[in-house]
Amino acid sequence: MNTGLRSFALQFVKGRLTVHTWAVTTCDSRFHQTGFQFFRTMATNNMDMKQPLGKKAKQKEPLRRLKTKESRSRRGDAPGPSTVYLQVVGAGSRDSNASVYVFSEYNRYLFNCGEGTQRLMQEHKLKAARLDNIFLTRVSWENVGGLSGMILTLKDTGVPECVLSGPPQLENYLNAIKVFSGSLEDIKLSVRPYTEETYADDTMTVYQVPIFAQLRDDGRHLSPRSGRSSPSQSPGSPRRELRSPEDKEDSHSNSQRAGSPGGKLKAARDASLVVAYVCKLHPKKGNFLVAQAKELGLPVGTAAIGPLIVALKAGKTITYEEKEIRPEQVCTPTDPGPIFIIVECPSEEFVKAVCTNKQLARYQTGGKEDAAVLVVHMTPESVLKTDQYKQWMEKFPSTTEHLIINEHVCTVNNVRSHKIQAQLNMIHPQIFPELKSYKAKESQAAMHVPNVRAECLLKFQLRPVMEWQRDAIPACNSEEFVKEASEVPNFLEEVETCRQLRSTDAALLSGQAEQYPEVVFLGTGSALPMKIRNVSGTLVNVSQSQSILLDCGEGTFGQLCRHYGDGVDEALSKISTVFISHLHADHHTGLIKLLYQRERALKTLGVAFSPINLVAPVQIMTWLNQYHDFCEEILSHINIIPNSVLVDGAEVSKHKTKSFIQALLKRNYLEKFQTCTVRHCKNAYACSFTHRSGWKVAFSGDTMPCDAFAHMGKNATLLIHEATLEDGMEEEAVEKRHSTTSQAINVGMKMKAEFIMLNHFSQRYAKIPLFSEDFTDRVGISFDHMRIRFADFRILPKLIPALKALFAEEIGEMEERRERRELRQIKESIMLEQKMTRVTDVGRGAKRDQEEAATHNIENKRLKAS
């Protein structure tokens, strides 16, 4: 390694590694390359040799956990759990569906898994690593919307097996998600339908209680008063079936198969079923009282005491030294095991079925079983207001606690989002507006029994002491968040600079800035939802009445709800077009909820229903068709326009597809909407669209640097390009088929884009990505809930010093990680080089020995000849 290269390496780490010395050999001239590019290449090759690519090894259950299970099973009389509590995850607000987490030292359980559940669990440190049972009360997107993402997370976490309990349609749901989830071989998934009534483990026994309602209109919809987001057949919209991707451009069919009497889908899709759960904790034997035992003369502290304790805790009377000793003399009473019930009554149609269910009645006053200590009601206010449901609640004894989870809740679930937004708001209030909350319009029911309204992380402890616990409920105090940011060194000075820039900019613009188009970044992270950055979703408000949504990852509707608050229905009603770039889960699994909530919004506003134009890979129809067939009606919400027919030069042969494209352009005042394939996964696309007034937006989706996209987006007013990884991680970017920061910027320069917004950051850059030297006054970075207009381009780069000040600590940590990674790569490349040198030296030595031996043989022959 030459002196210049070594000097460069040490200068790069800013003198932090003077304590390290390495034996360096002189390189052959073929190794003379510039900077760290050489080292990264060699280190990557070295790693590739050591870790050949192949099938990922199947995760095994942790050994410690297996030994614990074996130990309990050997004892046979294993005690019931000592610590058990039920905790609210999603409090039922419109942006966060109802979900409940149950903890014991042996097991973890989740009841319902709507969109955003895993994001909340990650933020509030509710670990999914031991989650092996998920119970679903019905197959509704409210309850299963986050299940596909949760399963992928469990698989990546190493959970070996997960069982889903509930309606039998869950089996079909699991088959459907394989369309986009890929292989799920590394996790064993199974469904325990309600027909298998009883499940028992080390913590409790769970009884599934099926409840069937008589629904109107063949069970296709719930009561409009329920306040839920479940689908309904929209008035005036014909039922349509969009079938298999083989139909390519236009998958429509006017088949009435699903609605026909005795039709196939009527049996597969059952909206009349909900499943309630009765959970009974195993009894816990009383504690052995050592002091009392000593007083009675028992051999405490000797080997003889063991069998005596086992007998006494089992409730047997013993005789020791001719003295009879009863269990109650030396043991606390046995805890028989409390019972709690989870019940969902989604609409008035279910009230009679729930209130007359004989299995649930067993746990009420006068029932054949011990009364429930807690009933969790996942029930809208419209149901709580009915006399029959009120009377049913009154049939439980006064000692029963009632927890109500529905939209009528005042709680903040995603506190970290509110915190970072409050701090960014100090930099620029218009670009980083404060988050809002949606408030339920329906009045709260007057209840006749004491009850508790759900809050995020509210606990009900079942053991050791039965009580409500509120200490974990997160506080959301904007003043505290602002105060915390104000104490960051140099931040307030940079905020003042930004304030002066705003006032100057406002004076220059003097009200001339165009309000539209407006871009709202709803999700700027990649892979999976995290506490600060949600997954992909970008809203382009084209005009006062029309919007285009670019990608729709899980939780996109929740982000809309937090951004617009009470104005979310109006925002939803404007969305006429959704573009899905590709079928990775973080780009499309928020679509179904968005469609249902949009239908609800139109109905609330009194606006006639119309389907959205869905521009997506045609393969998405396999997933939507299966969900429609086996879960809930969805196909009437969309007009599919396959991405492939919008590629430049593609022919559109079907009249219906042509009419959808024309409607898309006309509705959004567009001259052109174009797509191109990009370098990511199969059937991945970017898009660009040009407005009649001349402006143009280009959106990359997920891709490596792509010439076709650079050509399609030529002279874009705004380029939104993914920048998943930082500079220096080019090899990983190639492996995962993403772009680095500088690569994304270079695409924008090649495109001659007026401005470049980077997004889709790896979640390792939770708060802020690392900046590269390629940042110019034409580049900005996106944050969730950031709102920009074209007039903001001049000020966005000027906000970067304030952002660097606010996140200085995080930037410092990332830079240190980068330096450690670079040094590791250097060491690995040097070790490889030395190994190659030794191999070369050995080869040369062997060759020299052969030459010497040959020379010696020749001399011997000459001597003999003479």
Side-chain angles (χ1 to χ4, degrees), residues 1 21-25 27 31 38-39 42-47 49-50 822-840:
M1 184 174 181
T21 56
W22 303 315
V24 182
T25 58
C27 288
F31 290 108
F38 161 78
F39 292 116
M42 295 298 290
T44 303
N45 292 339
N46 191 24
M47 286 186 283
M49 288 191 289
K50 291 186 291 184
E822 299 285 4
L823 291 171
R824 185 170 62 250
Q825 291 171 343
I826 290 173
K827 286 184 177 181
E828 289 172 350
S829 64
I830 290 174
M831 290 172 63
L832 178 62
E833 180 189 335
Q834 291 175 340
K835 183 177 179 180
M836 292 172 65
T837 302
R838 285 196 296 271
V839 169
T840 302

Side-chain angles (χ1 to χ4, degrees), residues 524-527 533 723-726 732 736 759-766:
T524 57
S526 65
R533 292 187 186 270
T724 307
L725 296 164
E726 66 189 85
E732 186 173 339
K736 296 182 177 179
N759 80 340
H760 193 269
F761 303 110
S762 166
Q763 297 291 6
R764 72 189 76 189
Y765 317 116

Side-chain angles (χ1 to χ4, degrees), residues 538-598:
T538 304
L539 184 70
V540 181
N541 294 318
V542 177
S543 66
Q544 192 173 1
S545 60
Q546 297 297 321
S547 302
I548 298 173
L549 182 63
L550 305 175
D551 276 336
C552 190
E554 179 189 336
T556 295
F557 169 74
Q559 295 288 89
L560 275 168
C561 217
R562 288 182 280 276
H563 190 88
Y564 288 101
D566 290 335
V568 68
D569 283 341
E570 187 177 351
L572 284 167
S573 69
K574 296 176 183 178
I575 299 175
S576 60
T577 303
V578 177
F579 169 78
I580 302 296
S581 59
H582 62 291
L583 295 189
H584 284 164
D586 57 325
H587 291 259
H588 77 89
T589 51
L591 176 64
I592 290 178
K593 180 160 188 176
L594 182 99
L595 295 176
Y596 289 153
Q597 288 286 346
R598 177 179 176 272

